[in-house]
């Protein structure tokens, strides 16, 4: 079979990027990103919003829901997300429902989160527009116990029982995903318990990835050791007779990682520069595409150069744009110039769509704004692209 040449791809094509937005919606986005360009306003506003929600100030929820929440979240419930799922599907973009409520660290909250995650898998099974489910292990397990396991510290009988319940929750989620053929991402977290998460994830892969990549691990490439981790995971998968699924991201805990490493007197696991991270990310893409016989990947990135590189690597290695082993993903409400143009060119693309009650999701949103340099670095770019599209539409109407 000859390789079909992919359509021309330009991340500057704002007509495609904002095709789903009315003039009014574009103006609303313009105002929001203009405000987000002001760092002091973001920090002050975030604190004010949290305080206002805590004290139930009248109108606060309405204001948040119709501004930052509306831009970056799908809704407060799965049901509220359905119009967003349908709208993205109109442009051949999948939805990854991300239940972004942070639990209270109790068995009750862990069980409630598990129930919600199973519901997202059930919906994905019924909908062709939801290619993946996703969860954080700390949503169903105690992070302190995960850390003790990584450090090799003996657990008390109570902690061991808690850990076993957590493993059952993880297995229940992955078993349901396997039963329905729904791929599931297991998110990366902090390095001091990531090894425990990795081990749990690989156990699930050994169990459920025999026919295809159902369970996917996440690799934060701002960590110096993650390409080595991918290569080791690939070797283990080949030897173990199962498939490796990997979501490749740059990372979300940079400041926290540096702070904790310094406090513990150990080396910072983060790359010394952004360029080093970019190089490692792109090298990881190359390795994964070259080993697509056993690796499926999702490039979870807002970086235009890396996204373009992956399309080029796919063509060089004879992979069709819609090869089911190759995916691109961005956060909902951001980088539409990537998502919509990739989808328009026939590549598998999806949006991460956070959802949950406004008050519960706010810590997640604010933490992303504080910690994820992708958001901070993208704000000016988003603003300029929106401005460009507004000018293009004005010129068209003359």
């Amino acid at each position: 079979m000859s390789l079909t040449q992919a359509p021309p791809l330009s991340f500057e094509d704002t007509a495609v990027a904002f095709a789903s937005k009315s003039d009014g919606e574009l103006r609303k986005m313009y105002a929001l990103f203009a405000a987000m360009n002001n760092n002091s306003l973001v920090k002050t506003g975030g604190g004010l919003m949290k305080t206002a929600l805590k004290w139930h100030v009248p109108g606060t929820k309405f204001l948040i829901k119709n501004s930052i929440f509306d831009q970056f979240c799908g809704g407060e419930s799965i049901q509220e997300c359905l119009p967003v799922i349908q709208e993205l599907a109109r442009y051949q973009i999948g939805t990854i429902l991300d239940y972004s409520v942070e639990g209270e660290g109790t068995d009750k909250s862990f069980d409630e989160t598990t129930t919600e995650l199973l519901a997202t898998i059930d919906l994905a099974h019924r909908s062709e527009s939801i290619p993946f489910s996703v969860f954080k292990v700390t949503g169903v397990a105690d992070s302190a116990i995960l850390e003790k396991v990584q450090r090799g510290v003996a657990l008390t009988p109570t902690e061991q029982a808690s850990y076993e319940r957590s493993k059952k929750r993880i297995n229940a989620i992955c078993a349901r995903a396997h039963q329905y053929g729904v791929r599931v991402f297991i998110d990366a977290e902090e390095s001091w318990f990531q090894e425990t998460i990795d081990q749990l994830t690989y156990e699930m892969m050994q169990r459920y990835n025999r026919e295809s990549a159902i369970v996917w691990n996440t690799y934060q490439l701002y960590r110096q050791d993650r390409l080595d981790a991918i290569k080791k995971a690939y070797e283990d998968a080949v030897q173990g007779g199962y498939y490796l699924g990997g979501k490749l991201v740059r990372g979300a805990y940079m400041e926290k990682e540096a702070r904790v490493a310094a406090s513990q007197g150990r080396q910072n696991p983060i790359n010394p520069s952004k360029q080093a991270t970019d190089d490692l990310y792109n090298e990881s893409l190359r390795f994964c595409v070259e080993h697509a016989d056993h690796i499926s990947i999702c490039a979870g990135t807002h970086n235009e150069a890396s996204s373009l590189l992956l399309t080029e690597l796919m063509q060089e290695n004879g992979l069709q744009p819609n090869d089911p082993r190759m995916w691109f993903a961005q956060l909902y409400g951001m980088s539409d110039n990537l998502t919509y143009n990739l989808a328009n060119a026939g590549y598998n693309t999806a949006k991460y769509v956070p959802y949950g009650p406004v008050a519960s999701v706010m810590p997640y949103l604010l933490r992303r704004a504080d910690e994820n340099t992708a958001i901070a670095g993208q704000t000016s770019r988003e603003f300029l692209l929106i401005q460009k599209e507004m000018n293009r539409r004005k010129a068209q109407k003359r």
Side-chain angles (χ1 to χ4, degrees):
M1 183 177 69
S2 62
L3 177 65
T4 302
Q5 186 65 34
L9 180 64
S10 169
F11 296 140
E12 299 296 322
D13 191 337
T14 58
V16 171
F18 299 110
S20 68
K21 305 298 180 187
S22 66
D23 289 352
E25 288 170 330
L26 210 56
R27 284 193 294 271
K28 183 178 174 183
M29 287 175 67
Y30 179 85
L32 181 63
F33 279 102
M36 286 179 64
N37 254 337
N38 187 323
N39 286 338
S40 58
L41 181 63
V42 170
K43 289 183 178 177
T44 305
L48 287 172
M49 281 190 285
K50 283 198 285 189
T51 302
L53 279 171
K54 181 180 178 181
W55 293 100
H56 305 289
V57 175
T60 301
K61 180 181 173 182
F62 178 84
L63 178 65
I64 293 171
K65 192 167 184 180
N66 288 278
S67 57
I68 187 170
F69 183 91
D70 185 52
Q71 178 67 26
F72 298 112
C73 297
E76 293 196 80
S77 64
I78 291 177
Q79 196 66 28
E80 276 192 21
C81 291
L82 296 180
V84 170
I85 296 168
Q86 292 162 4
E87 178 65 16
L88 290 171
R90 282 181 57 207
Y91 297 90
Q92 288 74 54
I93 297 166
T95 293
I96 304 167
L97 286 175
D98 185 9
Y99 183 57
S100 300
V101 174
E102 298 187 0
E104 299 165 2
T106 63
D107 272 331
K108 182 174 181 289
S109 72
F110 293 151
D111 289 341
E112 287 172 352
T113 296
T114 302
T115 299
E116 187 70 23
L117 293 168
L118 291 172
T120 67
I121 293 171
D122 291 348
L123 180 62
H125 170 55
R126 300 194 303 271
S127 172
E128 292 182 0
S129 305
I130 306 176
F132 296 92
S133 288
V134 61
F135 73 99
K136 290 176 72 169
V137 169
T138 54
V140 298
D142 187 327
S143 61
I145 294 176
L146 298 176
E147 184 179 356
K148 286 186 76 171
V149 171
Q150 180 159 320
R151 284 166 39 215
V153 177
L155 301 181
T156 67
T158 300
E159 289 171 336
Q160 187 64 46
S162 174
Y163 187 49
E164 294 302 323
R165 288 193 295 274
S166 297
K167 289 200 283 188
K168 284 182 180 178
R169 294 184 193 103
I170 293 166
N171 183 65
I173 294 164
C174 295
R176 182 75 60 88
H178 179 259
Q179 178 188 350
Y180 287 154
V182 173
R183 291 160 291 204
V184 59
F185 292 141
I186 297 181
D187 273 345
E189 303 193 52
E190 290 88 344
S191 62
W192 47 94
F193 52 86
Q194 182 60 46
E195 285 177 25
T196 310
I197 292 173
D198 287 346
Q199 187 56 43
L200 291 167
T201 303
Y202 295 139
E203 286 175 14
M204 293 298 102
M205 285 190 193
Q206 290 171 31
R207 195 172 296 171
Y208 298 117
N209 286 14
R210 295 287 168 180
E211 300 88 19
S212 64
I214 291 291
V215 179
W216 296 42
N217 201 11
T218 302
Y219 301 93
Q220 300 190 104
L221 273 308
Y222 68 177
R223 280 186 54 177
Q224 300 174 36
D225 63 349
R226 289 299 86 183
L227 176 53
D228 290 337
I230 292 171
K231 290 179 176 178
K232 174 69 163 60
Y234 167 74
E235 291 171 4
D236 290 345
V238 171
Q239 291 175 7
Y242 59 91
Y243 293 91
L244 177 65
K247 180 178 58 156
L248 275 53
V249 301
R250 276 170 167 76
Y253 307 99
M254 187 161 63
E255 292 177 8
K256 190 174 184 181
E257 288 283 358
R259 190 171 64 247
V260 171
S263 71
Q264 294 180 351
R266 58 181 173 83
Q267 184 182 349
N268 187 350
I270 308 301
N271 284 314
S273 67
K274 183 182 183 301
Q275 187 60 53
T277 293
D278 290 344
D279 292 345
L280 195 63
Y281 191 95
N282 293 341
E283 195 180 339
S284 299
L285 289 178
R286 286 190 186 90
F287 178 82
C288 291
V289 173
E290 288 168 2
H291 296 84
D293 58 327
H294 251 79
I295 304 179
S296 296
I297 61 166
C298 175
T301 181
H302 293 246
N303 186 285
E304 295 177 16
S306 292
S307 298
L308 191 60
L309 174 63
L310 180 51
T311 68
E312 293 167 351
L313 290 169
M314 289 172 64
Q315 290 185 46
E316 288 170 13
N317 286 272
L319 302 180
Q320 298 282 0
N322 64 347
D323 189 297
R325 297 167 296 184
M326 299 287 136
W327 282 83
F328 298 78
Q330 289 80 40
L331 294 171
Y332 180 65
M334 290 187 59
S335 296
D336 288 346
N337 65 311
L338 291 182
T339 316
Y340 282 78
N341 279 296
L342 283 164
N344 188 59
Y347 292 94
N348 297 321
T349 63
K351 283 288 197 188
Y352 247 71
V353 179
Y355 77 96
V358 172
S360 301
V361 171
M362 279 308 297
Y364 168 89
L365 282 175
L366 295 174
R367 189 176 68 251
R368 292 308 291 254
D370 286 338
E371 294 179 345
N372 191 333
T373 53
I375 288 183
Q378 272 298 115
T379 305
S380 296
R381 174 73 168 142
E382 300 282 351
F383 184 61
L384 292 172
L385 287 167
I386 294 164
Q387 200 171 44
K388 179 182 175 183
E389 175 60 10
M390 290 173 76
N391 291 334
R392 187 194 71 82
R393 291 185 187 187
K394 280 180 191 172
Q396 258 192 344
K397 291 172 184 175
R398 286 184 189 138

